[in-house]
Amino acid sequence: MTLLQEAIQNIQGANKETMEQARKRIDALCKPPGSLGKLESIAVQLAGITGQLLPMLDKKVMIVCAADHGVWEEGVTSNPQDVTLFQTLNFSKGGTGVCAIAHITNAKVVTVDVGVKGDIPSDAGIIMHKIKHGTTNMAKGPAMSRKEAIQSIEVGIRVATAEIALGANVLGTGEMGIGNTTPSAAILAVMTGCDPLVVTGLGAGVGAGGIEHKVAVIKKAIEINQPNPKDIIDVLAKVGGLEIGAMAGIILAAAAYRKPVVIDGFISTIAALIAYKLEPKVKDYIIPSHASEEPGAKIAADLLGIEPMLHMNMRLGEGSGAALAFPILDAACSMMKNMVTLEQSMNLLAKR
């Protein structure tokens, strides 16, 4: 049995009994029913994930997966490709957006090289699982082989499993890869059968040809490679990215070990869709963070049946939105642990 098959086999749905207990406790708290909105549904979800009425999420880990994309050479972005390399090195130094946000919640940031173009020093503080130096240009052929696509997912499973073994009880997904909104939009276009124009946005900076050129490149890649929408590994291999596959693996591992996983924006949601296609029960473990500015983000979220909790006009990536959502999970846990019930409140009042 492969690592991927083992992870999928170990995924069970959320604990419905604990979720019902959580709902009853929340309804009994000293507040109007439903008055804490999404905080209540998050608390119920966390109870179902962990099997604990009063879960504790005190060991947060953001896993940032980094890789390059051969389609960059088509001019789909205005950013130099070597930004992936030097920004990946910045994660271990704590100088990136996600690091700054993760710092306020004491979240650990782990960076993984899945396919960065170029060599990263062995002492850079980066976990090395490089499969290849970036994907092949999907506008000229498959981005990677089927074997490499599976390897990318298994990288995510390995890294997440190792962090869970060290005590992580909530994970977040993040990515770094110049040009990676292009394969993300391509994957979504294949999965929905829609015109790529509908799901394609500016990314971190669209190339000189604008959205029209970016869309044309995606259409060409789909036409050349003919990815099978009924085979998500085939889609990932032909028009996907190594870091996208790795994030899907993180989500699968989180579900297999009954840990909540907070996903970031557009690219993380595409990874979540891949994980969902491999095993639908992973949806129970996914907590969406923010609504990305990318046009495909809402379509991807709707397809998965999730609703982001934050609307911050963010589109940085890196896992920045996921890190920003961690305190909301803390608040949900605190509500369950520290709020008194109406009955307790009345008893306290009677004793005065």
Side-chain angles (χ1 to χ4, degrees):
M1 183 182 297
T2 67
L3 184 61
L4 174 56
Q5 290 170 335
E6 183 179 355
I8 291 172
Q9 181 176 289
N10 288 336
I11 296 172
Q12 303 298 319
N15 187 316
K16 304 300 182 185
E17 182 179 343
T18 312
M19 291 176 74
E20 184 57 31
Q21 291 173 358
R23 288 190 190 97
K24 288 180 179 178
R25 172 166 174 76
I26 290 168
D27 289 343
L29 294 176
C30 190
K31 63 172 182 60
S35 59
L36 283 176
K38 290 183 181 179
L39 211 60
E40 298 184 16
S41 59
I42 292 169
V44 170
Q45 184 180 5
L46 291 174
I49 290 171
T50 63
Q52 300 172 348
L53 188 61
L54 305 176
M56 180 178 289
L57 306 179
D58 59 341
K59 294 189 181 297
K60 306 174 181 70
V61 179
M62 282 297 315
I63 303 177
V64 182
C65 303
D68 275 302
H69 299 266
V71 73
W72 174 86
E73 67 188 42
E74 298 294 324
V76 293
T77 175
S78 59
N79 294 296
Q81 191 170 47
D82 59 7
V83 169
T84 303
L85 176 58
F86 72 70
Q87 190 71 340
T88 299
L89 294 171
N90 280 336
F91 287 112
S92 62
K93 298 173 184 176
T96 67
V98 67
C99 292
I101 297 170
H103 178 72
I104 65 167
T105 59
N106 295 315
K108 176 183 177 183
V109 178
V110 172
T111 313
V112 188
D113 175 8
V114 194
V116 176
K117 186 175 181 179
D119 296 320
I120 290 178
S122 58
D123 61 352
I126 310 295
I127 298 174
M128 300 301 297
H129 284 296
K130 194 191 298 288
I131 294 170
K132 59 194 295 189
H133 287 262
T135 55
T136 305
N137 184 351
M138 69 180 190
K140 296 179 179 179
M144 53 187 132
S145 68
R146 188 179 185 89
K147 180 181 178 181
E148 289 166 341
I150 293 171
Q151 284 178 327
S152 73
I153 297 172
E154 292 187 337
V155 164
I157 294 171
R158 285 193 180 90
V159 174
T161 299
E163 291 303 321
I164 291 167
L166 290 173
N169 46 30
V170 58
L171 302 177
T173 60
E175 41 63 40
M176 181 64 225
I178 293 301
N180 61 8
T181 59
T182 299
S184 297
I187 290 169
L188 186 57
V190 172
M191 292 175 73
T192 60
C194 73
D195 187 327
L197 181 62
V198 177
V199 296
T200 304
L202 297 174
V206 74
I211 292 291
E212 294 79 7
H213 175 66
K214 189 173 179 180
V215 168
V217 170
I218 292 170
K219 287 181 176 179
K220 181 181 178 182
I222 294 172
E223 181 180 349
I224 287 175
N225 292 295
Q226 293 293 305
N228 180 2
K230 296 181 179 179
D231 181 353
I232 196 60
I233 299 293
D234 187 63
V235 178
L236 175 62
K238 288 179 175 175
V239 296
L242 294 158
E243 80 278 40
I244 299 172
M247 288 192 295
I250 293 167
I251 295 164
L252 289 167
Y257 286 96
R258 305 192 69 86
K259 306 297 180 185
V261 56
V262 183
I263 63 170
D264 194 38
F266 179 41
I267 300 158
S268 284
T269 307
I270 296 302
L273 277 170
I274 292 170
Y276 175 78
K277 289 292 183 180
L278 291 169
E279 174 45 70
K281 289 193 288 291
V282 301
K283 182 181 172 182
D284 289 354
Y285 298 85
I286 294 169
I287 299 176
S289 60
H290 76 111
S292 168
E293 288 285 277
E294 285 294 299
K298 185 179 188 306
I299 295 170
D302 288 346
L303 192 61
L304 191 53
I306 58 175
E307 183 182 1
M309 66 180 89
L310 300 172
H311 294 263
M312 301 288 287
N313 304 118
M314 294 170 64
R315 56 184 178 89
L316 172 63
E318 299 182 3
S320 53
L324 192 62
F326 279 155
I328 297 177
L329 272 62
D330 288 337
C333 292
S334 182
M335 176 194 72
M336 291 294 285
K337 180 180 179 181
N338 296 315
M339 277 189 75
V340 297
T341 65
L342 181 59
E343 182 181 357
Q344 288 171 326
S345 179
M346 293 177 69
N347 289 339
L348 288 171
L349 186 61
K351 291 177 181 179
R352 288 185 177 181

